[in-house]
Amino acid sequence: MPQSVPSLPRRAARTLRTSLFTQVAIALVLGIAVGKLWPGFASDLQPLGDGFIRLIKTIISPLVFCVVVVGIAKAGDLKAFGRIGLKALIWFEVASTFALIVGLLAANLVQPGSGMNVDPATLNTAAVDAKTNGGSLPSTTEFVLHSLPTSFVGAFAENSLLQVLILACLVGAALLHLGHTKVPQVLPAIEQAQEIIFAIVGFVMRLAPIAVFGAMAVLIGNYGLGVIETYGKLIALCYAAAAVFIALLAVALRIVTGLSLWKFLRYIREEMLLALGTASTESVMPRVMQKLRKAGARDDAVGLVLPTGYSFNLDGASLYLSIGTLFIAQAVGVDLSLSQQITVVLVLMLTSKGMAGIPGSAFLALSATASSLGAIPAGAVALLLGVDRIMDSMRVVTNLLGNCVAVFAVSRWEGALDLERARKVLDGEIDVTAEDETDEGKGEGQAAVPAQLTKKEPAPEVS
């Protein structure tokens, strides 16, 4: 007897119940509607998005620590880990510099601020101070020193990813040095802790639709849709330039690995939609790490490249900063020469590296750039106050894809990428969801210990 086909309402209900992408998409639409219809009520929903981000942030540091330690121990080669780090930094510098140049070319071509004739004296610079909390970007020396931990616990308490990475490298190196005979239980314990953290990620992600609903309602309620009309030319330029840069990333990924960025985008569509809704790449970092590992990238490459990219590879922010600098100059009637625009690139190459985790960092970087040029009033950055939040989606998508491409490219460069598995996962031939269910059903105990940590002591001689 042929099986009956489920009715349309049942299929819709099943999709709504099981598909995170569908849940987040519906929450996104509902958030926009609530923000538009009841802006006063929408402003009170801020805790929904903020609470979700706080929960995710509690997971990131221990997860990065576990993934990196396990990755080093399983790779069994600390020199290889160092090569991955060096290659990642080279890729980050090239990619972010290229993003800056794309932004400058786009702004010169379209001239988004021309004709505005803004008098800087009429701008409210106090609003910029409020946005940045009176802070400043760290110098190169301060940035390097802050990357070094002063306390093992403090690095986790402050959620400082670079400090956690350094601690993880030290612990991984110590495990390799001591071998399994002296610390037989440490690596399995860390692997088990990693699985617990991924389980917690699964629990927290069930709240994602609520977080997206709250964050989008607050955005539309506070800023409305009118800002799009006022800054339409600038917004369209930023998003178009980001699309061009992402297309170039797709070409680079295809050349280096042979993989398709569009298939990868489909593979992480749930995480991308969540990042868009919450305007935060941190909200999806644990899930993206997990998916990159399942797509064939080795643990040590994922654990080092992706978290480091959150501090060093802000492609979307670089693109926005270069366009924003020229927009401000054009709006106040300042014509920047070629040498001044080269100075913009050089200054932003440095200032963009210290932006992560600092309130209002984009405005601080823009102010530092304006001050270095001496031709643009620093207070003119207030022109971007109304549109900055609208740019979050562009920055989030570009930053996230830039870092994921970096993971694949560096992994391929180092020989740490299972290319055959990556192709099958992105083509849908391997269902990673089904693998998760299989692993849960096995109820496996301790994970296998790598061979380099299983040195057996010689058996005692019998007299």
Side-chain angles (χ1 to χ4, degrees), residues 259-303:
L259 300 176
S260 167
L261 183 62
W262 316 120
K263 290 181 180 180
F264 177 73
L265 190 57
R266 183 181 61 192
Y267 174 58
I268 62 163
R269 60 186 180 277
E270 296 174 350
E271 291 74 23
M272 188 60 70
L273 195 60
L274 175 57
L276 281 170
T278 58
S280 170
T281 52
E282 287 185 333
S283 65
V284 298
M285 183 178 174
R287 288 259 302 194
V288 171
M289 287 182 72
Q290 192 174 25
K291 284 202 166 182
L292 286 168
R293 292 166 65 233
K294 291 179 182 297
R298 209 167 64 195
D299 283 7
D300 52 345
V302 174

Side-chain angles (χ1 to χ4, degrees), residues 375-399:
I376 306 174
V381 299
L383 278 170
L384 294 174
L385 280 170
V387 75
D388 184 69
R389 182 64 178 82
I390 303 296
M391 298 298 187
D392 278 345
S393 297
M394 179 275 291
R395 290 192 293 246
V396 161
V397 170
T398 312
N399 287 344

Side-chain angles (χ1 to χ4, degrees), residues 22 67 76 95 134 229 280 305 455:
T22 303
V67 170
E229 299 175 5
S280 170
V305 178
K455 301 173 185 176

Side-chain angles (χ1 to χ4, degrees), residues 25-38 42 212-221 225:
I26 293 174
L28 197 68
V29 174
L30 291 177
I32 294 173
V34 170
K36 179 65 175 176
L37 297 175
W38 302 287
V212 169
F213 167 74
M216 190 54 59
V218 170
L219 172 63
I220 301 301
L225 299 175

Side-chain angles (χ1 to χ4, degrees), residues 3 5 10 36 115 132 135 144 225 227 231 336 347 365 370 384 419 446 451:
Q3 294 182 344
V5 179
R10 285 189 176 182
K36 179 65 175 176
T132 60
V144 172
L225 299 175
V227 68
Y231 290 93
L336 296 180
V347 172
L384 294 174
L419 200 54
Q446 295 182 347

Side-chain angles (χ1 to χ4, degrees), residues 183-437:
V183 283
Q185 302 300 323
V186 173
L187 183 61
I190 293 176
E191 289 191 290
Q192 291 168 10
Q194 177 179 282
E195 294 305 315
I196 291 172
I197 293 168
F198 276 127
I200 295 173
V201 171
F203 298 152
V204 175
M205 289 301 293
R206 295 179 183 178
L207 303 174
I210 299 174
V212 169
F213 167 74
M216 190 54 59
V218 170
L219 172 63
I220 301 301
N222 288 347
Y223 297 95
L225 299 175
V227 68
I228 298 178
E229 299 175 5
T230 306
Y231 290 93
K233 192 174 182 181
L234 175 62
I235 294 171
L237 175 62
C238 286
Y239 278 83
V244 170
F245 182 77
I246 290 171
L248 294 174
L249 280 178
V251 173
L253 181 64
R254 175 71 73 177
I255 292 173
V256 175
T257 67
L259 300 176
S260 167
L261 183 62
W262 316 120
K263 290 181 180 180
F264 177 73
L265 190 57
R266 183 181 61 192
Y267 174 58
I268 62 163
R269 60 186 180 277
E270 296 174 350
E271 291 74 23
M272 188 60 70
L273 195 60
L274 175 57
L276 281 170
T278 58
S280 170
T281 52
E282 287 185 333
S283 65
V284 298
M285 183 178 174
R287 288 259 302 194
V288 171
M289 287 182 72
Q290 192 174 25
K291 284 202 166 182
L292 286 168
R293 292 166 65 233
K294 291 179 182 297
R298 209 167 64 195
D299 283 7
D300 52 345
V302 174
L304 180 61
V305 178
L306 190 66
T308 307
Y310 272 58
S311 295
F312 285 92
N313 193 41
L314 305 175
D315 295 333
S318 299
L319 196 71
Y320 169 64
L321 288 174
S322 56
I323 293 176
T325 301
L326 262 66
F327 167 78
I328 293 169
Q330 294 161 5
V332 298
V334 174
D335 185 20
L336 296 180
S337 64
L338 178 61
S339 62
Q340 287 175 315
Q341 293 192 30
I342 293 174
T343 302
V344 167
V345 173
L346 295 176
V347 172
L348 290 177
M349 280 173 60
L350 297 175
T351 56
S352 62
K353 298 298 182 288
M355 288 175 56
I358 299 176
S361 56
F363 291 95
L364 292 172
L366 286 169
S367 298
T369 306
S371 299
S372 68
L373 291 173
I376 306 174
V381 299
L383 278 170
L384 294 174
L385 280 170
V387 75
D388 184 69
R389 182 64 178 82
I390 303 296
M391 298 298 187
D392 278 345
S393 297
M394 179 275 291
R395 290 192 293 246
V396 161
V397 170
T398 312
N399 287 344
L400 184 57
L401 286 179
N403 285 324
C404 290
V405 169
V407 171
F408 279 124
V410 173
S411 298
R412 175 65 170 165
W413 192 1
E414 179 58 27
L417 176 65
D418 185 343
L419 200 54
E420 185 63 26
R421 178 177 174 84
R423 288 198 183 99
K424 288 183 178 180
V425 169
L426 298 189
D427 288 338
E429 295 178 24
I430 297 178
D431 186 355
V432 295
T433 305
E435 284 186 349
D436 289 340
E437 294 173 354

Side-chain angles (χ1 to χ4, degrees), residues 23-63:
Q23 294 169 5
V24 171
I26 293 174
L28 197 68
V29 174
L30 291 177
I32 294 173
V34 170
K36 179 65 175 176
L37 297 175
W38 302 287
F41 169 70
S43 299
D44 297 330
L45 300 177
Q46 185 76 40
L48 295 181
D50 289 350
F52 178 79
I53 299 297
R54 289 171 72 93
L55 285 173
I56 288 292
K57 283 186 175 180
T58 62
I59 302 167
I60 290 176
S61 290
L63 177 60

